[in-house]
Amino acid sequence: MSKLQWNLGTVFAGGHVNDSSFQSFVSELKIDLKKLREKVETLSEGDIDNFTFSFIQLEDLTARFQEASAFTTCLVSANIKDQEAKQWRANLKPILGQLQSIDTELEDHLLHMKEEEWQNLMSHPDMKARSFPLHERRQKGREKMEKTYEQLAEALSQDGYHGWSDMYDTLIAQMRITKDDETLSVGQANNKKGSSDRAVRKKWAAALEEKWEDHEDLFAEAINHLSGFRLALYEKRGWSDPLKEPLMINRMQSETLDAMWAAIEEVKPMLVMYLRRKKALLGIDKLHMHDISAPIGDNTKEIPYEEAAQDIEAHFRSFSPIMADFAREAFDKNWIEAEDRDHKRPGGFCTTFPVSGQSRIFMTYDGTSGNVQTLAHELGHAFHQRTMEGLPYFTTRYAMNVAETASTFAEQIMADAAVKEASSRDEKIKLLDTKINRSCAFFMNIHARFLFEKRFYERRKQGWVNPDELKHLMVESQKEAYCGELDVHDPYFWSSKLHFFITRTPFYNFPYTFGYLFSLGIYQRSKQNQEDFETAYISLLKDSAAMTVEELAEHHLGVDLTRKDFWRQAAQPIIEDIETFLELTE
């Protein structure tokens, strides 16, 4: 087996869905699920012992479902033509629906518990460690429709709402981009947009835009249908704000989100200065979106995978030996799928196998410095999951915003180390450019996505949004987010960015920025108190699914996230990096 390919055989023998170990696992899951369904149907009010048993059983079955689901996701991602894996992934969907139906049933029991019963539940020995997910479910139950309607909505969503997300993935997987007798997948063509050669960037950006234009009606159909379903559900729940669910999922207050964006607006004038200087350094008349992430100077150096692995381990070790040892374990045990080949889905991710206590990382590695950053990013996710080993499964399901904290923290370690080790002025400029470009992505690109999605949902409330309107909304959002510095916009970004089509996590944008800035705040504290950092950091990660983000920050950092102060301080290193960049490129 190549070092660039992952080994799934340690999760299920044979490493494929046609192996009996996987199929037996799913069969046993279905049998136990049926037993739990029958038990919950006979659960009476006030029966704390049987409720406790049912809740812990649901937790166990949910973890087992994640094990099977992650396995099929890995197989399909590594080979989009794997029809058997696709079939099994589809077969698992009804199981998820049944689990969510039982969860809704138990949520309803929590909602109707008398105060004395609730207190008895909270004092039960097996429930003390699960108090946060119980409190959370009880509160969510108050915000939703009647139980039977919620169960019906979830059942219908499997082949409706979530089906449109699956359709998008299928369309992207089948698309091929051809230019000058070279044919690439969408992921491979996107990598070309990061080339140091502007002619290459422009060629593939234009080729991709042509393809998006060819399919704009299909993508408009998908985004309109999934958003229409979401808005109809919100209306029945009495929710008028499309941000209510994403804020609830991310366990954060709207005041925190507002404070974060307000602090970012204060940094944008410095980012504008950076963009203008970069435009001059690139020697271009018109700034395209693909120019922003373009490397300055020659960036043809290829970093071998083994070298990247060694660098990541070494730099992680300077902050946390435990984190470094974990990274080495992931490399040695082939937990990473990094091979650059056709028939892989685009992008990267990290997924967890809670039953076997393992993680897997997916990406396409082609030797760029950006790939090294992505690899470190995904290892940060995997380390986060490792820190929660041994906790009840429902207290390990952290939200996306804190999930992005550990990953962007890992990236920051690599970026800072690279700048410090720069052997020349030119190299330092290139590395600072890479660091600041990440800030542009989180503060401008992600902001454009956030603005687009907010405006799109408000417009969708009025009716169908056609491709021309979608393009207009996208361009207007980019103009505002980039402070008018873009000369050429990307009108099809709404169709090319898969995050707009992810149904399990609406508004798959602002949590990235939260995680980035939150991790910068933690990173600064790590440099101030290196001796105790490792223990404190792991403690924070362990609590990340057992508190709201405001409680997490107050408890572990002593800060108030609803005020701009923390976010301003977290952004200060970005301003300093830009000042250094401007000075070096004077």
Side-chain angles (χ1 to χ4, degrees):
M1 177 177 289
S2 165
K3 280 284 185 183
L4 294 172
Q5 293 178 335
W6 55 22
N7 177 14
L8 295 175
T10 57
V11 181
F12 291 106
H16 200 263
V17 292
N18 54 22
D19 190 87
S20 60
S21 64
F22 172 76
Q23 295 182 10
S24 297
F25 183 89
V26 175
S27 295
E28 290 171 13
L29 173 60
K30 289 179 178 178
I31 291 168
D32 291 343
L33 180 59
K34 184 174 183 291
K35 290 178 182 176
L36 179 60
R37 172 81 267 173
E38 292 168 352
K39 187 169 189 65
V40 169
E41 285 174 353
T42 61
L43 188 62
S44 58
E45 289 187 17
D47 189 347
I48 300 303
D49 286 337
N50 275 320
F51 178 91
T52 298
F53 174 83
S54 298
F55 189 79
I56 293 174
Q57 277 292 102
L58 174 65
E59 182 178 62
D60 173 68
L61 292 173
T62 304
R64 287 158 62 186
F65 170 81
Q66 167 62 23
E67 189 91 355
S69 177
F71 188 67
T72 59
T73 295
C74 285
L75 290 170
V76 173
S77 298
N79 179 11
I80 57 169
K81 291 185 174 292
D82 190 337
Q83 296 303 322
E84 284 184 283
K86 284 184 177 181
Q87 183 64 51
W88 274 95
R89 185 175 65 171
N91 291 344
L92 289 173
K93 281 191 174 182
I95 297 177
L96 177 60
Q98 292 175 58
L99 286 168
Q100 290 172 329
S101 177
I102 293 171
D103 206 338
T104 300
E105 191 82 40
L106 294 179
E107 190 178 88
D108 189 63
H109 276 276
L110 288 172
L111 188 61
H112 291 94
M113 276 185 184
K114 297 173 183 176
E115 185 58 30
E116 183 181 353
E117 294 167 350
W118 172 252
Q119 293 303 327
N120 288 339
L121 180 67
M122 289 295 95
S123 61
H124 193 287
D126 292 332
M127 291 309 222
K128 287 181 180 178
R130 297 173 170 87
S131 62
F132 182 78
L134 287 167
H135 275 283
E136 190 172 46
R137 278 168 171 75
R138 199 180 195 204
Q139 180 57 39
K140 283 181 178 178
R142 297 186 176 117
E143 303 275 2
K144 294 181 178 179
M145 299 181 290
E146 183 187 328
K147 173 187 68 178
T148 52
Y149 291 129
E150 286 291 341
Q151 290 171 327
L152 176 61
E154 182 55 44
L156 293 173
S157 73
Q158 296 306 316
D159 288 319
Y161 180 42
H162 302 307
W164 288 106
S165 180
D166 292 341
M167 174 62 75
Y168 177 84
D169 290 342
T170 300
L171 288 169
I172 294 295
Q174 292 181 350
M175 283 171 59
R176 289 295 176 271
I177 319 299
T178 300
K179 200 73 176 177
D180 298 338
D181 298 325
E182 186 177 7
T183 299
L184 303 176
S185 67
V186 171
Q188 290 171 322
N190 278 329
N191 277 343
K192 294 288 187 181
K193 287 165 64 178
S195 171
S196 58
D197 185 338
R198 192 168 194 244
V200 172
R201 294 199 304 272
K202 289 184 73 174
K203 179 175 78 172
W204 289 103
L208 281 162
E209 186 164 323
E210 286 177 19
K211 187 63 69 171
W212 302 129
E213 185 175 8
D214 289 343
H215 293 80
E216 66 177 12
D217 289 336
L218 292 174
F219 293 124
E221 189 96 5
I223 200 169
N224 271 282
H225 280 305
L226 68 85
S227 59
F229 185 102
R230 186 178 284 163
L231 288 172
L233 181 61
Y234 290 173
E235 183 181 3
K236 294 301 180 185
R237 287 175 175 169
W239 300 355
S240 59
D241 185 0
L243 276 168
K244 184 176 180 66
E245 184 181 28
L247 286 170
M248 192 184 295
I249 289 172
N250 284 283
R251 298 168 178 146
M252 66 187 288
Q253 300 172 21
S254 59
E255 291 83 359
T256 295
L257 182 61
D258 292 342
M260 182 189 78
W261 285 130
I264 285 169
E265 286 301 319
E266 295 177 5
V267 180
K268 282 191 177 182
M270 289 298 293
L271 286 170
V272 166
M273 293 174 69
Y274 158 74
L275 289 176
R276 290 176 180 174
R277 179 62 56 83
K278 181 160 187 175
K279 182 178 177 181
L281 291 171
L282 291 173
I284 56 179
D285 295 327
K286 293 186 176 181
L287 186 69
H288 293 240
M289 277 193 70
H290 60 72
D291 291 321
I292 295 173
S293 58
I296 292 175
D298 183 22
N299 195 36
T300 57
K301 178 188 174 185
E302 186 173 319
I303 304 166
Y305 182 74
E306 277 300 324
E307 182 181 325
Q310 290 167 9
D311 286 348
I312 288 171
E313 180 187 355
H315 294 315
F316 279 8
R317 197 166 297 282
S318 66
F319 279 83
S320 167
I322 295 174
M323 191 174 172
D325 289 343
F326 172 78
R328 176 41 54 192
E329 179 184 356
F331 288 120
D332 289 346
K333 292 184 176 179
N334 290 85
W335 285 3
I336 303 164
E337 169 56 59
E339 191 172 45
D340 185 3
R341 64 175 187 274
D342 199 6
H343 304 311
K344 288 176 69 172
R345 60 154 275 186
F349 65 80
C350 175
T351 191
T352 181
F353 293 88
V355 177
S356 54
Q358 303 177 41
S359 294
R360 289 297 183 275
I361 289 167
F362 176 88
M363 64 174 297
T364 298
Y365 188 89
D366 64 0
T368 66
S369 58
N371 287 160
V372 179
Q373 292 285 78
T374 298
L375 185 53
H377 178 102
E378 300 303 342
L379 281 165
H381 280 306
F383 179 67
H384 192 170
Q385 292 159 4
R386 170 60 64 86
T387 65
M388 307 183 96
E389 203 169 54
L391 296 175
Y393 181 63
F394 281 159
T395 64
T396 68
R397 300 171 82 186
Y398 45 78
M400 180 186 166
N401 51 357
V402 289
E404 293 306 321
T405 298
S407 55
T408 50
F409 181 89
E411 275 193 81
Q412 192 65 25
I413 291 174
M414 297 302 296
D416 257 17
V419 171
K420 287 177 184 175
E421 294 172 0
S423 57
S424 67
R425 173 180 167 277
D426 286 347
E427 185 182 1
K428 189 171 185 178
I429 289 171
K430 290 177 188 176
L431 292 168
L432 278 170
D433 173 57
T434 300
K435 277 188 74 180
I436 300 166
N437 182 57
R438 291 177 67 233
S439 303
C440 269
F442 289 116
F443 291 179
M444 291 178 154
N445 188 296
I446 297 290
H447 195 203
R449 301 185 207 180
F450 175 75
L451 292 172
F452 166 80
E453 201 151 10
K454 273 191 74 175
R455 292 163 183 175
F456 166 67
Y457 273 93
E458 289 305 318
R459 172 62 186 84
R460 183 66 181 88
K461 288 178 182 180
Q462 302 165 26
W464 194 266
V465 188
N466 65 44
D468 286 340
E469 291 177 283
L470 286 163
K471 287 181 283 187
H472 175 74
L473 287 171
M474 191 74 256
V475 169
E476 289 303 306
S477 298
Q478 288 170 359
K479 285 179 179 178
E480 181 175 337
Y482 284 93
C483 305
E485 290 302 307
L486 282 173
D487 297 304
V488 180
H489 301 87
D490 185 351
Y492 285 103
F493 195 74
W494 62 270
S495 59
S496 65
K497 186 52 62 176
L498 68 86
H499 299 75
F500 294 127
F501 297 84
I502 294 174
T503 47
R504 294 289 174 193
T505 310
F507 278 81
Y508 207 110
N509 41 61
F510 70 82
Y512 278 118
T513 303
F514 177 100
Y516 174 65
L517 260 187
F518 191 55
S519 70
L520 281 184
I522 296 170
Y523 185 71
Q524 289 181 73
R525 282 165 169 74
S526 75
K527 293 192 289 186
Q528 295 163 5
N529 188 18
Q530 286 191 328
E531 188 175 330
D532 300 323
F533 167 70
E534 184 178 61
T535 302
Y537 182 53
I538 291 173
S539 178
L540 181 147
L541 294 180
K542 275 188 174 181
D543 280 343
S544 58
M547 298 179 181
T548 66
V549 293
E550 290 82 14
E551 291 167 345
L552 187 72
E554 173 62 35
H555 181 73
H556 289 278
L557 305 176
V559 297
D560 181 358
L561 295 186
T562 65
R563 299 175 62 86
K564 285 195 290 185
D565 300 3
F566 170 80
W567 303 109
R568 280 179 178 144
Q569 292 168 7
Q572 188 57 37
I574 299 164
I575 294 172
E576 293 169 3
D577 281 342
I578 295 173
E579 288 172 343
T580 303
F581 178 83
L582 294 173
E583 182 182 333
L584 289 172
T585 56
E586 193 67 54

